[in-house]
Amino acid sequence: MRGVTPRFSTAVLRALLPNAVRDEALDELRDGYLLRVAQYGRAAANRWYRGQVPAFAIRVRLAILTGGPLTPPTELHVPEPSLSGSERMTTILADLRYGARALVRNPAFSLIAVLTLALGIGANAAIFSVVRTVLLRPLPFPQPDRLVQVWESRRDRGWNQSSFTHANFWDVQDMNRSFSAMGAITYGSINLAGKDNPELLSVAYVTTGFLRALGVTPVAGRTFADGEDRVGADDRIVVLSHRLWTTQFGSDRSIVGRDITLSGQAYHVLGVLPPGTPWLDAGDLFMPLRRGPNEDRDSFELSAIARLKPGVTIDAARADLNRIAGQLASQYPEAKGMGVTIEPSEGWVASDSLRRALWVLMSAVGFLLLIACVNLANMLLARSTGRIRERAMRAALGASRARVIQTAVAESVLLGVLGAAIGLAIAFGAVRLLRAFDPGDIPRLSEVSIDGLVLAITLGAALLTSIITGLAPALRTPYHDIVAALREGDRSVVGNRRTVGLRGALVSVEVALSLMLLVGAGLLIRSFGAILDVDRGFQTENRVLFNVTLPNAQNEADVQRLSALRTQLQARLAALPQVKDVAAVSIGLLRGTGTGMGFAAQDKPSPPSDAVPWAGWRMITPNYFKTLGVPIVAGRDFNAEDVIARPWRVVISHRIAERLWPGESAIGRQLILWKGQQESVAEVIGVSGDMRDWDLADLPSYTVYMPFNGAGWNPSTFVVHTTAAPTAIVPIVRSMLAELSPSSPVSNVRTIDDLVGESVAARRFTMLLLGALAAVALLLALAGVYGVLSYSVSRRKTEIGMRMALGASRSSVLRLIVSQGMRPVVIGLAAGVLGAIGLSRYMASLLFGVTRLDAPTYAGVAALLTVAAVLACYLPARDAMKVDVLTALREE
Amino acid sequence: MSRTALGEFEHHVMLALVRLGGRSRGAPIVLELESATRRAVSPAAVFVALRRLEQRGYARSLKREARPGEGGRGSREFQITSAGKAKLAESRRTFERLWGTGNPVAEPS
């Protein structure tokens, strides 16, 4: 504390005072001096101090002369080196009480601060719960890091990953030395005889190694034993999925060992699987995939998984399998070019794009929390500028630095705890909301909940956040220059220059962060708009799709029954007055998957085998194009006489025609189907308009259409174009089927509008979430801009009053304030645009129809932020113009 | 208990001490008195008065050594004693008796 009081006067006084009271008197005068600096400024305090020097010396000496010596203190209290635990607790409690009083005293501030923090924390807890459940929770299998997925590859055809053919799978399973178990799965469906209508269940056909590789322990009964996939073994056995067991059989354990009737046959229930994703929910029922005498090495149907033997690395397994593939390739002509791809099981739950989307969202909520923290720090800093004197005073009157910081932090910790509490409430609500908005393709979403870990992390984040934000202003108490702080204190124009600079920088950070979020949201919104506006090629109004299955269709006679059923149902439906058009197709629209093949023109040079283009193929009944509102560009549609493969006749989509015969007529040309495989040659009889029928985000598909007539494909997807309310047709279909084929269920009823909506549901989900986060971020940033500026305006009332008294016009004052407020905003905008350009690359794969550097988005977002920020600046500026010159001056 | 009446200034100092919560260092008492009396108050007078009050048993004081890292050396903090409170109460009663219930002096306007 040396050098606090005027040096010369202090030295004089020191010389004049009697020894016994010297130190006490100097302390007393120093205290008084500091208080006066605080109240009246340094010059006045200096005058006062100098005036006291003679008076003090004279008075004290006189008092001692007349009244005897002045007593020493009654008690001399020597402090212990540090506080005991209980004392420290007491000071902490006292500080918390003090903090609570400070918060209550300023309810508006406290409310905004707590809500700001709560939003940031709540959003984080909610999204983190999703990320944790969907991406981070381990697979429901023992040692999931030993599990791998295995694919075939055919580099000669340009395929890096393809499903396994039956024969190749069995050979790889038998010959490998790397796996302790290997299994394959494929899918089908079966009817469960129900009370009213037959119900169609999905079946997962698995080899016995499949569940063994996963390491699944059944909830009841057992899974398949070795040899139960052999031909000739009892093939009426089934393992129930947990879902079917709970929904259809009321979790009844006694179902194990009993028979259930599926498609008119009795099946023996072996056991029940545990719940879980993936694989365990792959079908309602699991049945053995039989190891038949299937020597087909050209039909890619099986998904394969395996468990690595202990000590075997993925690389070693890959080498082992490629050795086997090489043997098979040299042995069988169909396996020419065969290789294998092995992938770890990490990607089983969430697809790459879902992963990407969730991480983008997680970063977004991280940004939001950052903005909330910056906002809070800014608010606390604003207030601390107003309270610097309070703290400087406490320091001057003997409070230790640690204690002053403890008091300041106690207050922000209170804010943090309150924020966390409300934030968790928000998170609980948000998770419920997320589950309600389930877009359908986020796995495990229904399992998402706020658990202990999320709670702990949330609380930890809240405390850390609040301590850091509380520490910043506390550390700004200028212990080294208490006098300056006391003098400047509240009276400084807008806090000292460094604080102003820091607060401006914080506003810039907020603006930059929210601009990045807004750009992200903007890009997703533009993508979403683009995907809905894209030319789909087909019409959606008043069109409904549904599947009709003919159970147990297996042999040649059933092919006739299938064709007959399709034809009869189509004819009956077409006769209805409310039906405009009706058709059937092998694979419905917008499924994202389907059947495919390589193709080439017979009359053109063949492309190299790894550059053969790939087309989807669909079997359709006549009238398919008309029902969907798609034009026949050239040639003709199929008619009742066209039968599949007798001879091969196809309709091709316009893009295929343009690719193979650009500028020429495709009609009558020869098209090679399944190029590189069975290579059937077909005559092109028609060219249809292009459709984006795989995924709206894909280019219009290359599609080859073949007649449905004569095909044993099951189920058939019917498309009906009605005059109104398309789903009203479904009960009529059911009653027609009751006559035509009583065991045939109707399933997957969807209008095309529904399908379009479902196909973009995940996008909508991400877009809405990011949009909401960006909106909150914008609000917080604006609150920051507004808060800082309005505070500085309230501090500058006098200055503004003077300016106006000296003739400044209202508009010039307005300009002054707004330009002051906009400076950090403009810096933030610039930084934000750069940040957004950098970060947008991580979301490029989520975009459609816009580039990640889409100028209109950036410009629009920057304009929105600018306008909003000007508005946020205008409000305090308007207050500034209302400053009454006289009042303002009198306050000084 | 001392029979000697409080001097006016001593009386003021004690009341200021009470107003500051019963315990305070010297400097805040000076400010408190200045704001109450609207006159400059000599810190030396307060300095002496506090120590005389302590001698008479109306106040006690405590000197705390500064801890390392704390601002300032330890200043002396004065507390009013129960004798001090009694003395204040007694002088208040004396004044009230002398004033009576009416208002014998018209306030100069």
Side-chain angles (χ1 to χ4, degrees), chain A residues 37 55 108 144 195 281 396-398 427 551 605 786 799:
Chain A
V37 169
K195 287 144 258 166
D281 57 356
L397 293 182
Y786 172 81
E799 181 209 324

Side-chain angles (χ1 to χ4, degrees), chain A residues 24 28 63 69 74-75 77, chain B residues 26 51-52 54 60 63 76:
Chain A
E24 280 183 35
E28 198 91 17
T74 324
E75 231 179 278
H77 186 76
Chain B
R51 281 154 184 81
R52 295 292 180 226
E54 187 169 13
R60 61 201 294 277
K63 181 158 170 140
R76 194 157 153 185

Side-chain angles (χ1 to χ4, degrees), chain B residues 39-87:
Chain B
R39 284 201 308 256
V41 171
S42 157
V46 173
F47 184 88
V48 172
L50 281 168
R51 281 154 184 81
R52 295 292 180 226
L53 286 169
E54 187 169 13
Q55 280 168 351
R56 293 167 67 180
Y58 298 145
R60 61 201 294 277
S61 70
L62 182 147
K63 181 158 170 140
R64 210 163 47 94
E65 291 298 319
R67 267 189 231 127
E70 276 188 355
R73 282 164 293 185
S75 290
R76 194 157 153 185
E77 189 179 78
F78 289 84
Q79 296 175 14
I80 193 153
T81 59
S82 44
K85 286 179 195 156
K87 187 72 190 174

Side-chain angles (χ1 to χ4, degrees), chain A residues 62-398:
Chain A
L62 206 62
I64 294 171
L65 276 176
T66 56
L70 296 169
T71 52
T74 324
E75 231 179 278
L76 186 66
H77 186 76
V78 182
E80 292 146 42
S82 65
L83 293 178
S84 73
S86 69
E87 277 177 311
R88 173 157 303 143
M89 204 57 230
T90 317
T91 66
I92 289 177
L93 284 178
D95 282 340
L96 285 176
R97 264 199 306 277
Y98 182 84
R101 272 204 300 274
L103 292 185
V104 170
R105 224 179 9 243
N106 205 337
F109 171 89
S110 311
L111 192 73
I112 293 174
V114 165
L115 282 183
T116 301
L117 207 53
L119 277 174
I121 286 172
N124 267 277
I127 297 296
F128 177 67
S129 303
V130 175
V131 167
R132 191 168 117 72
T133 314
V134 177
L135 298 189
L136 303 181
R137 189 181 288 173
L139 295 168
F141 311 114
Q143 290 181 287
D145 52 318
R146 306 302 296 162
L147 288 170
V148 291
Q149 183 142 14
V150 190
W151 309 85
E152 272 191 45
S153 65
R154 293 290 167 93
R155 308 270 166 214
D156 61 326
R157 299 183 194 171
W159 305 348
N160 292 326
Q161 279 188 355
S162 107
S163 302
F164 262 96
T165 67
H166 282 260
N168 286 341
F169 170 77
W170 295 116
D171 286 341
V172 169
Q173 183 191 274
D174 293 346
M175 294 161 78
N176 86 80
R177 303 172 198 153
S178 310
F179 303 135
S180 58
M182 188 175 183
I185 186 170
T186 185
Y187 307 95
S189 60
I190 201 163
N191 271 1
L192 178 69
K195 287 144 258 166
D196 313 318
N197 291 307
E199 185 165 357
L200 192 68
L201 299 182
S202 59
V203 181
Y205 293 97
V206 294
T207 64
T208 57
F210 191 84
L211 295 172
R212 191 150 33 89
L214 292 179
V216 173
T217 316
V219 187
R222 63 173 180 94
T223 60
F224 304 114
D226 265 344
E228 281 182 325
D229 54 3
R230 236 192 333 251
V231 176
D234 178 11
D235 61 353
R236 303 267 187 255
I237 52 174
V238 64
V239 172
L240 305 183
S241 71
H242 197 267
R243 182 180 55 215
L244 187 75
W245 183 53
T246 47
T247 55
Q248 284 283 346
F249 301 105
S251 303
D252 178 9
R253 280 173 183 276
S254 70
I255 189 76
V256 175
R258 294 219 309 258
D259 285 355
I260 57 175
T261 305
L262 298 167
S263 295
Q265 314 258 11
Y267 280 77
H268 191 69
V269 177
L270 293 182
V272 179
L273 293 178
T277 304
W279 301 125
L280 297 174
D281 57 356
D284 296 317
L285 296 167
F286 286 71
M287 293 187 184
L289 173 64
R290 285 192 193 276
R291 178 169 193 167
N294 187 349
E295 283 307 313
D296 183 4
R297 290 179 197 273
D298 217 15
S299 176
F300 302 85
E301 292 174 8
L302 303 181
S303 304
I305 60 152
R307 182 174 285 274
L308 294 168
K309 278 185 184 158
V312 175
T313 62
I314 288 194
D315 284 336
R318 188 175 293 126
D320 180 29
L321 263 59
N322 274 319
R323 175 186 58 81
I324 300 167
Q327 281 181 27
L328 296 177
S330 59
Q331 210 170 333
Y332 304 103
E334 308 97 304
K336 189 169 74 67
M338 178 180 169
V340 288
T341 306
I342 300 188
E343 285 193 337
S345 56
E346 288 161 0
W348 280 2
V349 169
S351 66
D352 277 352
S353 74
L354 178 61
R355 252 164 214 283
R356 184 52 53 99
L358 283 177
W359 285 122
V360 164
L361 286 175
M362 193 69 224
S363 324
V365 289
F367 274 29
L368 189 65
L369 185 60
L370 214 56
I371 294 174
C373 287
V374 169
N375 219 1
L376 192 62
N378 221 336
M379 288 172 71
L380 287 171
L381 213 52
R383 206 167 48 146
S384 87
T385 310
R387 284 163 65 174
I388 251 180
R389 207 160 70 144
E390 173 192 322
R391 279 206 293 276
M393 181 84 81
R394 293 185 58 190
L397 293 182

